[in-house]
Amino acid sequence: MVVDAATAVAVGVDPATAVAIALLTAVTIATRLLGPMIMRVVGAPPRVEAFLEAMSVSVLAALVATIVAVSGPREWVAVGVAAVVAVASRSAIWAMFAAVAVAATWTASVP
């Protein structure tokens, strides 16, 4: 994709794709800004709050499962190490650091 600096318009992008991206961006921004305000006024039952908290974990699990399904041994080992670190430390941040370190070390050491 090339951007024309004079008009700040991406050259070679399908108009339908540009509209879809713009709409998704607008909806994302609206929900991020208005969601907390609406929830303060409306309130959510405990079951809805539990669902919303579990949904983020489900999305992350789906992304990881997709990566593992289409990747090779480097990613499998990195995800395995991340799982062990997550269980041992109860910290998602440390698990992510461990996975990145394993994948980076693998990439640097395996031709």
Side-chain angles (χ1 to χ4, degrees), residues 18-76:
V19 168
I21 291 170
L23 286 173
L24 289 170
T25 302
V27 169
T28 300
I29 291 171
T31 56
R32 297 289 286 170
L33 294 176
L34 297 176
M37 288 187 272
I38 292 171
M39 292 309 291
R40 258 188 256 125
V41 173
V42 174
R47 290 184 71 180
V48 172
E49 288 183 18
F51 167 76
L52 292 174
E53 288 178 18
M55 189 170 63
S56 62
V57 174
S58 300
V59 170
L60 182 59
L63 290 171
V64 170
T66 303
I67 290 168
V68 168
V70 299
S71 298
R74 180 186 66 174
E75 289 78 12
W76 301 338

Side-chain angles (χ1 to χ4, degrees), residues 58-111:
S58 300
V59 170
L60 182 59
L63 290 171
V64 170
T66 303
I67 290 168
V68 168
V70 299
S71 298
R74 180 186 66 174
E75 289 78 12
W76 301 338
V77 171
V79 169
V81 167
V84 169
V85 170
V87 168
S89 69
R90 295 195 173 277
S91 171
I93 297 295
W94 285 115
M96 286 186 263
F97 280 136
V100 169
V102 167
T105 302
W106 183 301
T107 301
S109 63
V110 176

